[in-house]
Amino acid sequence: MKRLLWITAAVLVLLTLGTGLFFAHRQRQSYAVQVPRDAVSVVKVQVDGLVADVLWNQLWSPSHIKRDAKRGGTYRFLRSDIGLAIPANLFLYQFADRPRVLFGILRIKDVGDLQAFIRQQDWAYEVATPFSRVVSQHLVALHSADSIAFALCWEPGEQLASVEENLRGLLQGNRQEPFAASRFRELKNRKGHLNVMGQHALRLDFKRGEIAFSTDGAGDAAEFPSHLQTENTGFLQLPAWCWSLTPPTWRLGGHTVSRDSLIRYISGNMCVRWRGITTQRDTVINYAYDDDFNPVEVREAVERSVPAIYGAIASDAGRLRGYLAEQGLLDTALARISPGAFPLFSLHTHGGTGKRLLFGTEPDAEEQAPDPGLSRNGADPLYLYIDIAAVIRQAVLPARISAYLEPFSSVELLGIPKAGAGMAIRGKMVMPHASVNSLIQLID
């Protein structure tokens, strides 16, 4: 019996050692890649880490897998029959001339399997020499017998000729250098399921029940103020320093706003509280015809549910109100923000003197105006919280916006000013199922 235990222990040690060496080799091989010299950003996707977390989640939460199987779903990102060699870390590239496109390249294990997989999809496929072409709504790819270069397009209808030029450059090895010699080599030491370095910095971690994100490489989400969530569907604090990060001029509904003017009048936080729903009455003008077929104006009062929003801006309220009126953003006669600048629903202002300009979806709601908000270590952070599940239940937003929000239960973030310029953001997006990996829920 003792001998059997020793043999079992030895086998387990060898299996553990062999598995560790295998994955260490995959990690080392994944960094033996060439990086385009003119890439402005590089995205590292930790494939092995993601797959390990998903498989571990399947072990401890099999009920979700069973439900997916009954619906006929499959975890397509775990498929091994697509003919591609998936590395431990996948690198994607962004170029200055195509800022809304991510490019990548993979080695082909079996070109026949790859072609069979492509033909199963609803994609246009043209077999040619030296490179075959694949095109779908958000994907463009060129492949030879041993490599495939692909482009993931944020918007459909990207200029194919320009995208394909970048793809040919990846396949031909034009203007490339070893990853270890590139300016993106620091990515090797950065953790996280997804890490972006270059023009933008971002880290994403797909945890059980939530997606944690940050722009400063930190892994743990910030400690959020739970008291601002109480009785609120949402809460926003926008500190005065945030306005310095905006463009010098920007346009709202055809009206120009000056950043310097806003900074001159705004002296502290802008706080906005969303507390459920309220009712607004609007007048709709239609036209009917009399007996002589002359158009007659018909006014009809219509009630609709809108978010119950109450906001306050620490400012020289009178001068800020005057500036917004001069720019056409504020109708002082109706005490309402111009529909062109904010078309979703009526946003009233009240109070034009003193140190706070109040606004909201109800004409008189001074008693509901939020307090100055949150302060940490003498600094006022950017803070945002939205109870997305409550927003969807309230059904007050356009259907298109709600459709993007549906995979999530809530979102929360903190923005802290950096010593030099800009700010570091940390946050989390909570998903409906607390025990299921967030990537699985997102794909579902």
Side-chain angles (χ1 to χ4, degrees), residues 252-257 262 265 313 315-343 345-353 356-360 362-363:
L252 287 172
H255 306 289
T256 302
V257 181
L262 292 177
Y265 303 133
I313 306 176
S315 61
D316 183 339
R319 296 180 68 187
L320 176 59
R321 185 183 178 93
Y323 173 73
L324 296 177
E326 288 176 3
Q327 303 308 116
L329 298 173
L330 176 63
D331 185 336
T332 54
L334 297 176
R336 188 174 67 182
I337 299 296
S338 166
F342 192 83
F345 39 79
S346 296
L347 203 57
H348 306 277
T349 63
H350 29 276
T353 60
R356 290 205 303 170
L357 178 63
L358 307 180
F359 61 92
E362 295 183 357

Side-chain angles (χ1 to χ4, degrees), residues 31-236:
Y31 292 106
V33 296
Q34 299 289 314
V35 177
R37 284 191 173 93
D38 50 351
V40 294
S41 293
V42 173
V43 182
K44 183 180 81 168
V45 182
Q46 194 186 89
V47 178
D48 279 5
L50 274 171
V51 171
D53 285 354
V54 168
L55 292 176
W56 187 256
N57 188 233
Q58 289 186 26
L59 178 64
W60 292 104
S61 301
S63 59
H64 188 81
I65 310 301
K66 293 177 182 178
R67 286 196 302 270
D68 182 73
K70 289 180 181 179
R71 296 195 305 264
T74 56
Y75 293 100
R76 291 183 292 274
F77 60 94
L78 294 179
R79 290 182 60 168
S80 59
D81 60 345
I82 61 176
L84 297 176
I86 307 299
N89 295 288
L90 171 65
F91 293 94
L92 304 173
Y93 313 107
Q94 184 184 46
F95 300 103
D97 60 336
R98 300 254 70 88
R100 292 179 173 269
V101 182
L102 285 174
F103 295 86
I105 185 168
L106 288 170
R107 184 172 60 84
I108 298 176
K109 291 191 303 183
D110 189 314
V111 70
D113 284 349
L114 175 63
Q115 290 177 331
F117 171 75
I118 292 172
R119 290 189 174 102
Q120 292 173 5
Q121 316 306 314
D122 188 21
W123 299 341
Y125 185 38
E126 178 185 344
V127 179
T129 303
F131 303 127
S132 298
R133 185 173 76 163
V134 183
V135 178
S136 74
Q137 188 176 21
H138 296 281
L139 170 71
V140 182
L142 298 178
H143 79 82
S144 61
D146 53 13
S147 297
I148 181 170
F150 57 91
L152 304 173
C153 306
W154 178 263
E155 295 179 351
E158 286 284 345
Q159 297 179 6
L160 292 183
S162 176
V163 171
E164 289 182 15
E165 184 178 348
N166 290 112
L167 295 176
R168 289 191 185 90
L170 288 175
L171 290 170
Q172 295 167 351
N174 297 343
R175 293 185 50 76
Q176 296 182 4
E177 61 184 350
F179 174 83
S182 73
R183 66 184 186 279
F184 302 105
R185 57 185 177 273
E186 176 60 27
L187 274 175
K188 184 176 182 180
N189 302 319
R190 294 190 180 182
K191 298 180 180 180
H193 289 143
L194 185 148
N195 233 301
V196 183
M197 182 178 178
Q199 277 190 327
H200 310 285
L202 178 67
R203 171 176 172 172
L204 284 180
D205 286 282
F206 295 93
K207 301 181 178 182
R208 286 200 302 173
E210 70 178 41
I211 302 173
F213 58 92
S214 67
T215 60
D216 59 353
D220 297 325
E223 185 177 337
F224 297 110
S226 58
H227 69 281
L228 294 179
Q229 302 177 17
T230 306
E231 299 181 354
N232 289 326
T233 301
F235 193 94
L236 168 66

